[in-house]
Amino acid sequence: MFPKSKSGKFGTFALCFLTGALAGVLAAGPALAADDGEGDELIEYEGRVVAEEGLVLRTGPSTEYRAIGLKEYGTVVGITCRVNGQRVEGNPVWYKLSDASYVWSSTRDIVHEGEDPRWC
């Protein structure tokens, strides 16, 4: 077999210690990298439904996606971000609402104040 070294117990201890330390660094690395203090919170924008007939909520950014609900005229909605999707009346921009649905938007259907929502 293999000859035993005099530092066998120390070598095993050192190997275990270093393995644990490496595992700790690898586990903490992404968390520390993500905690840079900038951009931790996603900004949520608000908009108001101004389409008199209301706004159809869909599961994706196209009229081919399933309709899952309706927001009535005057409802304030949370907007997470915007994406390019199917063009509707020449407008390809859809908003992803904070309730995870997508809604096609034009200034006629949802209006918001301030800067445009970020791109998804």
Side-chain angles (χ1 to χ4, degrees):
M1 299 276 161
F2 297 104
K4 261 190 164 177
S5 71
K6 293 184 182 181
S7 62
K9 290 182 183 180
F10 178 75
T12 303
F13 173 76
L15 180 61
C16 289
F17 176 79
L18 292 174
T19 302
L22 180 60
V25 167
L26 291 175
L32 294 173
D35 190 23
D36 62 358
E38 293 183 27
D40 287 344
E41 296 180 28
L42 292 179
I43 297 172
E44 183 173 299
Y45 303 86
E46 284 189 347
R48 182 174 304 277
V49 176
V50 294
E52 290 184 18
E53 65 280 359
L55 201 59
V56 177
L57 304 180
R58 298 193 177 273
T59 59
S62 166
T63 58
E64 295 189 13
Y65 282 90
R66 184 171 50 95
I68 57 173
L70 180 76
K71 295 286 184 182
E72 295 181 1
Y73 174 83
T75 303
V76 174
V77 294
I79 302 169
T80 301
C81 57
R82 59 187 166 146
V83 297
N84 281 323
Q86 174 193 14
R87 286 186 176 273
V88 178
E89 296 179 16
N91 184 352
V93 178
W94 292 67
Y95 287 145
K96 183 175 184 182
L97 299 184
S98 57
D99 64 359
S101 58
Y102 284 88
V103 170
W104 172 70
S105 167
S106 72
T107 55
R108 257 189 350 232
D109 297 332
I110 293 180
V111 295
H112 63 86
E113 294 182 11
E115 68 181 70
D116 287 334
R118 68 176 183 84
W119 290 99
C120 297

